[in-house]
Amino acid sequence: MQILTFKTTEEIGAAAGKLFVETVQNNPKAVLGLATGATPVPTYEYMAKEYENGNVSFKDVTTFNLDEYCDLPKEHKNSFYSFMVDNLFSKIDVKDENINFLDGNVEDPDAESKRYADAIINAGGIDIQFLGVGRNGHIAFNEPADEFTDEAFKVKLTDSTIEANSIYFDDIPMPRYAMTMGIGSIMRAKKIVFVATGSSKAEAVRAMVKGEVTPSCPASILQNHPDCYVLLDEAAAALL
Ligand code: PGA
């Protein structure tokens, strides 16, 4: 892991965004692994600005998002799909048909998992994957568990995750289940850009970087990834 510490979230967004933009400049057909939540917003702002300034085009990229809530219509304002449209897709020239999401409303999660795994393989694998982290060390919605997962699956969200994300739900209760990419799929990405900001992530970052590799801190598996950037602000890096 290459650990870098920054003063502001804007600086982190620029550093992470640059890694994505450079990947697309070098390979206009790059496959991008994307995430939702507060953490990637400055990165997406940087990418949108670079597109607006004519420095990069996303017209031939393919995207795969990490996760999606179950039992929530895709078009609902709190779906991760809507988040991506609002924060990135509506601001760049990515094509709709190249955007991939897990479907949280399927009757057969196992078939959906297989469909997503096949789609990633058919796209040639993920070139660069953005990752945030939960306060409990989760990556995507891989919650602390007894073993590391491989492909996508349907997960029951933990109380910690529900507490952290409930703030975004003002009209309906937050879903209790989600479809998430598995740890194996994440680890097969050629490059990983991990970002954590704020003191609420400090313990998860410490366990991830300094602790043993264990599924009780899913992010700790990143110690085994050959090309993983860890971009932190000082609050998130405080326990290192
Ligand atoms: P956040 O979520 O970016 O909103 O803090 C990160 C996560 O739960 O993975």
Side-chain angles (χ1 to χ4, degrees), residues 1 5 17 27 37 44 56 60 73 83 90 95 100 126 167 227 230:
M1 291 191 286
T5 306
N27 173 14
Y44 296 157
V56 67
D60 294 322
F83 174 96
S90 64
K95 293 184 186 134
N100 293 279
I126 293 171
I167 53 163
D227 189 9
V230 175

Side-chain angles (χ1 to χ4, degrees), residues 19-231:
L19 290 166
F20 275 83
V21 166
E22 282 170 2
T23 298
V24 177
Q25 286 168 335
N26 292 333
N27 173 14
K29 294 187 172 175
V31 179
L32 311 183
L34 301 176
T36 52
T39 307
V41 171
T43 302
Y44 296 157
E45 283 170 357
Y46 180 91
M47 290 163 72
K49 196 166 67 129
E50 286 292 275
Y51 166 70
E52 205 180 296
N53 291 340
N55 294 329
V56 67
S57 167
F58 297 93
K59 73 178 172 46
D60 294 322
V61 305
T62 298
T63 70
F64 286 89
N65 262 80
L66 285 171
D67 41 20
E68 183 57 282
Y69 289 119
C70 291
D71 310 315
L72 187 70
K74 183 179 175 185
E75 310 299 341
H76 188 276
K77 67 181 167 69
N78 287 122
S79 75
F80 287 156
Y81 174 76
S82 294
F83 174 96
M84 289 306 302
V85 171
D86 292 347
N87 287 282
L88 184 65
F89 296 154
S90 64
K91 300 177 180 175
I92 61 174
D93 58 346
V94 62
K95 293 184 186 134
D96 283 348
E97 64 264 33
N98 291 344
I99 293 170
N100 293 279
F101 262 83
L102 282 157
D103 185 343
N105 295 300
V106 289
E107 291 201 347
D108 185 346
D110 291 342
E112 177 59 4
S113 166
K114 171 101 178 60
R115 181 194 68 80
Y116 213 56
D118 289 348
I120 293 171
I121 290 168
N122 291 339
I126 293 171
D127 291 305
I128 179 167
Q129 174 69 57
F130 189 100
L131 279 186
V133 67
R135 298 169 198 180
N136 61 3
H138 75 204
I139 46 177
F141 273 142
N142 290 276
E143 303 282 29
D146 294 336
E147 53 187 32
F148 289 115
T149 56
D150 188 31
E151 299 294 2
F153 67 104
K154 181 173 178 173
V155 61
K156 185 172 185 343
L157 300 174
T158 59
D159 291 344
S160 158
T161 299
I162 291 167
E163 191 195 326
N165 288 17
S166 284
I167 53 163
Y168 298 112
F169 286 82
D170 52 13
D171 56 346
I172 55 164
M174 181 180 146
R176 269 28 186 178
Y177 288 86
M179 288 290 296
T180 182
M181 220 188 256
I183 296 282
S185 314
I186 293 169
M187 287 296 282
R188 284 188 282 278
K190 291 172 195 112
K191 184 189 289 292
I192 290 181
V193 181
F194 171 99
V195 176
T197 54
S199 57
S200 68
K201 305 293 175 67
E203 174 51 30
V205 169
R206 187 205 60 75
M208 166 184 126
V209 173
K210 295 209 152 165
E212 58 170 328
V213 176
T214 165
S216 61
C217 176
S220 63
I221 192 90
L222 298 175
Q223 290 178 27
N224 295 341
H225 194 280
D227 189 9
C228 179
Y229 286 84
V230 175
L231 310 184

